[in-house]
Amino acid sequence: GWNTSSGTTTDTTIFDVPMVIGSETTPWGGSLTINDIIISGTDGVGLTVYSDGSVTIEDSEFTQNDEAGVYIDADEDVNVKRSKVNDNGSNDWNVVDGKGLEIKSGGYVALADVEANDNQIFGADIEAVKGVAIKNSFFNGNLMYTNDFAEYFGYGLTVKIVENPDGVFDPRADIA
C-alpha cells in the first residue's frame, strides 16, 4: 500500500471509502492507470473515473460496495486487466443498486482476466464507440429481484457499440 508518511509503496493499497477521479463537467485531463488497489465496503461507488484520455485498471479489486464497484467514463480506450468487481450491492431490495463494472468509452474497451460476479444488478455493462474485446473473463451469479415498485432482471454482461462519429468500426481492440 501507500505509506503517506514516507511516500513509499508496497504491494496493494486498501481503501474503505469511495474514490472519485474527475467529474462529468471536469474530467481528469489525460490518461490514467490505476493498479494494485482494493476498494471495499463503501456506501457508494467504489471507484468513479471521468477522463479526457484512456483509463487502465490492473490487478485491483472492488468488492462489497453499496452502489457499484466501478464506473468509468473515458473519452478514449478503457482496459481492465486481472481485476475483480464482485459482490456489490446493499442487499436492500427497495434500492436499485449493486452494479459491477460500468464503462462508457469513446474508443475501445478491452477486458482480460476480469471477474464481475455476484453483483446485485449486473456484472458488466459496456458502451464503446470503436469496439470491445473480452478474454478469460467471468460474469456469473448476478441477481434479479423485485420490490414494491418494479422488477429488476440482473445480467452478466451487456455490450453496446454506439455510433462512431468517424463512421468507422474497427473490432480490433487490444487485449494483450
Side-chain angles (χ1 to χ4, degrees), residues 130-148:
K130 293 187 177 179
V132 175
I134 299 171
K135 174 181 161 184
N136 298 332
S137 297
F138 297 92
F139 312 93
N140 299 311
N142 298 289
L143 306 176
M144 173 267 184
Y145 65 96
T146 60
N147 62 25
D148 295 337

Side-chain angles (χ1 to χ4, degrees), residues 30-34 47 49-58 70-81 83 101-112 114 124-134 172-176:
S31 295
L32 180 66
T33 297
I34 296 170
L47 174 66
V49 177
Y50 293 90
S51 175
D52 278 344
S54 62
V55 175
T56 299
I57 296 175
E58 298 175 330
V70 178
Y71 176 82
I72 300 170
D73 187 335
D75 286 351
E76 295 180 15
D77 299 344
V78 175
N79 294 289
V80 182
K81 301 175 185 177
S83 295
L101 174 62
E102 187 171 9
I103 298 173
K104 294 183 179 183
S105 170
Y108 296 106
V109 172
L111 307 182
V114 171
D125 191 294
I126 300 170
E127 183 178 296
V129 171
K130 293 187 177 179
V132 175
I134 299 171
R172 297 172 292 158
D174 178 20
I175 58 172

Side-chain angles (χ1 to χ4, degrees), residues 57-133:
I57 296 175
E58 298 175 330
D59 304 307
S60 296
E61 294 183 24
F62 309 91
T63 60
Q64 299 178 342
N65 299 291
D66 280 358
E67 290 181 32
V70 178
Y71 176 82
I72 300 170
D73 187 335
D75 286 351
E76 295 180 15
D77 299 344
V78 175
N79 294 289
V80 182
K81 301 175 185 177
R82 298 174 308 277
S83 295
K84 297 178 182 180
V85 187
N86 295 330
D87 196 29
N88 293 289
S90 66
N91 293 320
D92 179 347
W93 303 118
N94 291 311
V95 179
V96 182
D97 64 9
K99 299 174 181 177
L101 174 62
E102 187 171 9
I103 298 173
K104 294 183 179 183
S105 170
Y108 296 106
V109 172
L111 307 182
D113 302 305
V114 171
E115 290 181 18
N117 300 321
D118 302 314
N119 296 289
Q120 196 165 313
I121 297 179
F122 61 74
D125 191 294
I126 300 170
E127 183 178 296
V129 171
K130 293 187 177 179
V132 175

Side-chain angles (χ1 to χ4, degrees), residues 17-20 39 42-48 65-71 100:
V17 295
M19 179 183 291
V20 179
I39 301 176
T42 74
D43 61 0
V45 178
L47 174 66
T48 303
N65 299 291
D66 280 358
E67 290 181 32
V70 178
Y71 176 82

Side-chain angles (χ1 to χ4, degrees), residues 7-26:
T8 61
T9 60
T10 56
D11 294 337
T12 303
T13 303
I14 301 172
F15 296 95
D16 62 1
V17 295
M19 179 183 291
V20 179
I21 300 171
S23 70
E24 193 169 3
T25 56
T26 311

